[in-house]
Amino acid sequence: MTTQNPLVPLPAPIARIATLAGAAAALAGTFLPWTWTSEFPGDLTVTGYPGGLQVLTLTGAVLTLLFTLTGYGIPGLRWLIPGGTNSPVRLLALAVLGTTGYAMGAISYELGGVVNLEPGAWVSGIGALVAVIASLALPSDVALPAEGPEPTGWQRFRNSLAAPSAPRARALPGWAEILVIAGAFGLALYLFTYGIDIPTEDSEQFIGFLITAVLAFTALTRAGLIARITALTSKHRNVTLTAALVAAFCFPFTQNTAEYALIGANILIFATVALGLNVVVGLAGLLDLGYVAFLGVGAYTAALVSGAPLSAIGVQFPFWAAVLTGAVVSLIFGVLIGAPTLRLRGDYLAIVTLGFGEIFRVTVNNLNGNSGPDLTNGSQGIPSIPDLNLFGIDFGLTHELGPFTLSRPANYYLLMLVVTAVVVLVFRRSGDSRIGRAWVAIREDETAATAMGINAFRLKLLAFALGATLAGLAGTVQAHVNYTVTPEQYQFAGSVPPNSAFLLAAVILGGMGTLSGPFVGAALLYLIPAKLQFMQDYQLFLFGIALVLLMRFRPEGLVADRRKQLEFHETDQLDVPKPRKPDETDAGIAKAGA
């Protein structure tokens, strides 16, 4: 048991009190003005009413106080730190310092010097700095209590001052576990809504939001709280899926403008296509670098049969028929591309799929009536795709639903949510089936899987065809959401997702082979560029840095299954046997035993 950290020579009780004092000061500073002018985004001039970046500092300070108090064994807070470590306190204090320091630097840069900082900024900044320094003196390891009666009252408080502990939480009843899952998804919806509602021109607040969110998530992971919630979601999978769909359904009703509902619809399209790619890459282990072409096949097919004025076919299918047509055509292309190429492995397969993606883009660009048949209108694409009309509902119009108003993007968001639910059902059922287990076996070792009687080629072709079908399904909705389809939308890499590089990154970032991982990765990769448009010229550079950091610190992805965690963080090597002492011969050991 460690009571003093050698990094900062300060006794643990004093360090904990100093951490509380610093976090309290940072909290109090948010109720004071940080600057004198409202020109800085967020209006940080009001006394007694935090706004903008002050809200993020306040949130981080409250979490720091909460997790610091858990070290004193307060009964109501024991559930927060099942990991029994002080690392969450350090990370949360660092989040407060990072957000506050960034706010002070941004105010000084944009308004012309530190003279524009009011006392509230200094109080929060100094308090956050004190909390970080004091948290470094907290014990590195916190011992969990041994089995037996738990101390109560003054004895527990006195013991916690000397060596803070995190008592093991008792098992919750079933109804409480369901409430925790519902609360977790409700909180996730609130955080997502808060981030997406930040105005695009207010990039300072969004950067502060990212700083707080990343460090707070890391703190909750180190505390073991994320693992505990993950265990609950694994235990109640049907409840988890229902809660996720309900939270996603509620999103458009939280939006007052069409801009952010459109971002939500595009995120769902991006995430659904990424989930289809997860079948190919995450389950079957096939590196597909041209997957966005299947999205384009579905989108172009839907555009051609939508009744658009510039459609070369000149027909108009009902939406259900257009969806089936787009999915079937994508399936056919998946089989035609996969049949001659899936006997390749590794880099060779990646090169072939990359070539298919580029061939698709060049082909639709040349089908303009000059270089080839007049089918896709070349580089101009197929514009003016009409809005859908389902069950008498015109998706191009706004609709009143009680006190809520659903805009055009909100209508398509809800439609895409239905498509997403279908894709999730297909992914879950296929992943848990005998075929899904065979895909995983092929991913881990194709030679061994073949030796065990698995028809690797047939199952890989099935995965390729299924992934193409799911991408084509999403493409049919994308064509109507964007009004037009053009070849430039379906590149290998570009500044605007979805493209093949970003789709693959969403799967890797979120977690290969998982259900929720592609959604997390797609949301991050789409939302961050949409909010930080001033960094568009450096987007790919920053994107590469983020991937390098991810591969270094969390190679299994943000949402990882147990198999990936064991693969990247545990070794299969056996312990090296200790050498025997000179008198430890077999005969001597037998004699001693006798």
Side-chain angles (χ1 to χ4, degrees), residues 99-473:
T99 305
T100 308
Y102 169 76
M104 296 174 67
I107 292 173
S108 301
Y109 175 78
E110 294 191 10
L111 300 182
V114 296
V115 69
N116 296 283
L117 295 173
E118 291 292 320
W122 293 106
V123 171
S124 293
I126 295 174
L129 182 61
V130 170
V132 170
I133 296 175
S135 66
L136 294 177
L138 294 175
S140 298
D141 300 314
V142 178
L144 294 174
E147 298 294 336
E150 184 179 346
T152 58
W154 172 254
Q155 181 181 5
R156 180 182 60 202
F157 177 77
R158 185 183 59 186
N159 293 339
S160 66
L161 286 177
S165 60
R168 289 185 175 88
R170 298 176 181 177
L172 297 176
W175 61 267
E177 293 179 346
I178 294 176
L179 287 180
V180 170
I181 294 174
F185 278 99
L187 179 61
L189 173 62
Y190 174 78
L191 293 177
F192 180 76
T193 303
Y194 180 87
I196 206 173
D197 283 343
I198 296 175
T200 304
E201 61 274 9
D202 190 1
S203 57
E204 296 85 358
Q205 185 177 350
F206 189 76
I207 293 176
F209 172 74
L210 288 180
I211 295 173
T212 303
V214 170
L215 290 175
F217 178 80
T218 307
L220 296 179
T221 303
R222 295 291 296 273
L225 186 59
I226 299 298
R228 174 164 287 173
I229 295 178
T230 302
L232 293 182
T233 57
S234 301
K235 181 180 179 181
H236 305 279
R237 299 184 65 180
N238 293 329
V239 173
T240 301
L241 288 177
T242 303
L245 288 176
V246 170
F249 177 80
C250 293
F251 168 73
F253 299 100
T254 65
Q255 303 300 306
N256 297 322
T257 60
E259 176 187 359
Y260 302 137
L262 180 60
I263 293 177
N266 285 322
I267 288 176
L268 272 186
I269 294 173
F270 190 10
T272 303
V273 180
L275 189 60
L277 179 60
N278 202 20
V279 174
V280 181
V281 177
L283 293 181
L286 306 174
L287 184 56
D288 189 350
L289 299 182
Y291 187 75
V292 74
F294 298 117
L295 175 68
V297 170
Y300 265 97
T301 302
L304 289 172
V305 300
S306 65
L310 295 182
S311 172
I313 297 180
V315 298
Q316 184 172 3
F317 287 0
F319 180 66
W320 64 268
V323 167
L324 293 178
T325 304
V328 169
V329 173
S330 298
L331 169 64
I332 294 174
F333 270 85
V335 173
L336 291 178
I337 299 302
T341 62
L342 287 179
R343 299 188 186 277
L344 303 174
R345 298 187 187 182
D347 299 338
Y348 300 99
L349 177 61
I351 293 173
V352 170
T353 55
L354 176 61
F356 164 66
E358 290 302 305
I359 289 173
F360 168 79
R361 184 178 61 83
V362 173
T363 301
V364 296
N365 194 34
N366 289 335
L367 296 179
N368 54 8
N370 296 322
S371 303
D374 187 9
L375 184 62
T376 64
N377 201 25
S379 60
Q380 301 300 320
I382 304 177
S384 303
I385 299 175
D387 285 308
L388 297 175
N389 194 311
L390 296 178
F391 309 109
I393 300 175
D394 190 343
F395 278 58
L397 302 177
T398 58
H399 301 280
E400 301 293 334
L401 188 61
F404 304 102
T405 300
L406 294 178
S407 61
R408 176 185 180 275
N411 298 331
Y412 281 104
Y413 174 90
L414 294 177
L415 175 63
M416 193 61 215
L417 186 61
V418 176
V419 176
T420 303
V422 173
V423 174
V424 167
L425 179 63
V426 172
F427 179 87
R428 182 186 175 189
R429 299 293 294 179
S430 60
D432 293 339
S433 66
R434 177 178 59 86
I435 295 176
R437 292 191 294 271
W439 283 338
V440 174
I442 294 172
R443 182 191 68 190
E444 297 300 323
D445 194 329
E446 183 176 345
T447 303
T450 304
M452 296 299 294
I454 295 176
N455 190 330
F457 174 76
R458 185 179 65 182
L459 289 174
K460 288 194 297 182
L461 183 60
L462 179 61
F464 212 74
L466 179 60
T469 304
L470 298 181
L473 193 66

Side-chain angles (χ1 to χ4, degrees), residues 517-532:
F519 289 92
V520 175
L524 292 176
L525 291 180
Y526 193 95
L527 184 60
I528 292 176
K531 290 297 183 180
L532 302 180

